[in-house]
Amino acid sequence: MRSCLALLAMVVAAPAATAGGCDFTAVSTRVQQLVQGAGVADAGIAIGTPRGLVFKQYLHAGGGPSAYDDSVRVPVASASKLLAGVRIMQLVDRGAIALDAPVSGYLPAFTGLGGTMTMRQMFSHTAGYGDDSDSLVLALPVTLAEDVAWIAAHVEMPFPPPGAWFAYGGISMQVGGEVAEVRGGEDWQAGWQAHVGAPLGATGIDWQGLGPTANYRIAGGAEASLPDYARVLAMLLGDGVGNGWRILSPQAIATLASDQTAGAALAYSPPGADGRHAYGIGAWIETFPPPPARPAISSIGKFGYAPWVDFDGGFYGVIMVEQQATTWPTMGEQSHDAIVDIDALVRAQPLAACVPVEIGDEVFRDGSELP
């Protein structure tokens, strides 16, 4: 049962690159380098610990005021995958979905080999689909249910059988999103907002980042502000509790943040992955910090949006940037390089001494209730 004690506090984020005993000047400089290298005008950066945000800054190329602020939302592309993975694991926690049940039991239109794929495989890119993030089937002007019915009838698996190959893409997660609609009894976007976004206070996240649609692109269609996405990361770092609500169980966090590919061979990974294919539920399993530290997770978007959680270091971060033009290295590669550098810079800070620059709507509850 929730306690009745509540403390509502808000400290406006300071524009300077220092916070208490911490100095984030080098972090700010690295983000400015990313902005200049990508040829974009604006970016944002947030770093948080269990005590709150210890650094948040919006930057403009070459200095001056940024067009970004807390109200600005941008399409996050593949950073949608982590957001989607949270909802899937929430439904697993609630007993609505079993990670290893065949999809045919949820969506009878999938038969034969396709019917054997599981949610664990669909959300770890090992279901048999892949290399399809730009497939036109994901943008059909239909509902998500109609889109997935079309996939079941017309889209062949390029990498069968399920479980054998890792092939990064979007179609398998599209199918998983429809399973969530059926088993959750709710529209995908409405369900995410009601059971994840609203309790976390991340009310601005939706799946309209690529334009108005009812065919939610589960793996790449979300849009978010910097503070909204940070609230999701804070929950992951908080072992499933965010803003006082238990969103996920500790077991769900452990599953989401550990390799679920079960030794699948590499068929396709995106540019910048360098052949890596350790993947959880909607998240890359990162090699920084190096072993024996607990691995970090990330979910980097094609346009540069880059969230990550360093469980070993006890902090999370997110870079807000949008570059839809083709770049080389790709925008995703540039953002990944930046978070590797920034992660090391943050780990060098005395984080326990950092005074939070922002604590929002901190409600003391026991975390036992799922909204």
Side-chain angles (χ1 to χ4, degrees):
M1 176 173 294
R2 290 183 289 143
S3 69
C4 296
L5 179 61
L7 172 65
L8 303 180
M10 179 62 71
V11 180
V12 178
T18 59
C22 295
D23 184 349
F24 293 99
T25 302
V27 171
S28 181
T29 298
R30 183 63 180 87
V31 177
Q32 188 68 257
Q33 291 171 349
L34 175 65
V35 168
Q36 293 171 351
V40 296
D42 299 281
I45 174 72
I47 304 293
T49 73
R51 299 168 60 226
L53 281 179
V54 295
F55 179 56
K56 184 176 73 176
Q57 188 175 43
Y58 296 105
L59 307 95
H60 183 75
S66 175
Y68 284 178
D69 59 27
D70 285 357
S71 69
V72 173
R73 295 185 295 168
V74 300
V76 304
S78 283
S80 306
K81 293 177 171 65
L82 179 56
L83 299 174
V86 168
R87 176 62 174 153
I88 294 301
M89 292 309 302
Q90 186 180 64
L91 288 168
V92 171
D93 270 341
R94 296 179 178 187
I97 292 172
L99 281 176
D100 296 313
V103 71
S104 59
Y106 302 132
L107 304 176
F110 286 89
T111 59
L113 197 59
T116 69
M117 65 182 175
T118 68
M119 186 65 79
R120 191 187 306 272
Q121 293 164 345
M122 286 186 274
F123 264 75
S124 65
H125 303 294
T126 60
Y129 295 103
D131 194 10
D132 52 25
S133 294
D134 294 324
S135 173
L136 294 178
V137 70
L138 298 174
L140 293 175
V142 295
T143 66
L144 177 59
E146 291 167 338
D147 190 54
V148 171
W150 200 93
I151 290 169
H154 300 289
V155 180
E156 297 292 330
M157 285 183 172
F159 304 106
W165 299 95
F166 176 91
Y168 187 84
I171 285 179
S172 67
M173 289 188 180
Q174 197 78 352
V175 177
E178 176 55 16
V179 172
E181 285 196 331
V182 169
R183 297 298 294 169
E186 294 176 276
D187 168 87
W188 168 266
Q189 179 173 279
W192 195 98
Q193 291 178 325
H195 303 290
V196 181
L200 291 178
T203 55
I205 294 177
D206 62 35
W207 261 259
Q208 308 299 311
L210 300 178
T213 186
N215 183 16
Y216 312 116
R217 191 176 298 207
I218 305 301
E223 61 181 353
S225 67
L226 185 69
D228 276 346
Y229 208 115
R231 291 182 181 106
V232 178
L233 300 179
M235 178 273 296
L236 294 173
L237 183 64
D239 217 15
V241 175
N243 194 33
W245 292 109
R246 177 162 291 286
I247 305 300
L248 295 177
S249 68
Q251 294 79 13
I253 297 291
T255 298
L256 183 150
S258 60
D259 189 4
Q260 300 298 312
T261 61
L266 175 62
Y268 171 74
S269 62
D274 298 325
R276 292 180 301 118
H277 58 293
Y279 203 89
I281 302 295
W284 289 98
I285 310 303
E286 290 286 2
T287 56
F288 66 85
R294 181 183 176 187
I297 60 171
S298 73
S299 187
I300 298 170
K302 180 179 181 180
F303 308 146
Y305 207 97
W308 80 102
V309 181
D310 186 329
F311 294 101
D312 184 76
F315 66 91
Y316 62 84
V318 56
I319 296 174
M320 176 182 178
V321 66
E322 180 189 3
Q323 171 55 286
Q324 296 198 27
T326 300
T327 64
W328 190 260
T330 67
M331 194 59 226
E333 289 176 272
Q334 292 183 58
S335 287
H336 185 265
D337 288 347
I339 69 170
V340 171
D341 293 343
I342 291 170
D343 188 83
L345 292 169
V346 174
R347 287 177 70 88
Q349 292 293 321
L351 291 178
C354 290
V355 177
V357 296
E358 186 172 315
I359 303 173
D361 291 343
E362 184 180 352
V363 181
F364 293 97
R365 302 190 178 108
D366 59 16
S368 63
E369 296 186 12
L370 286 162

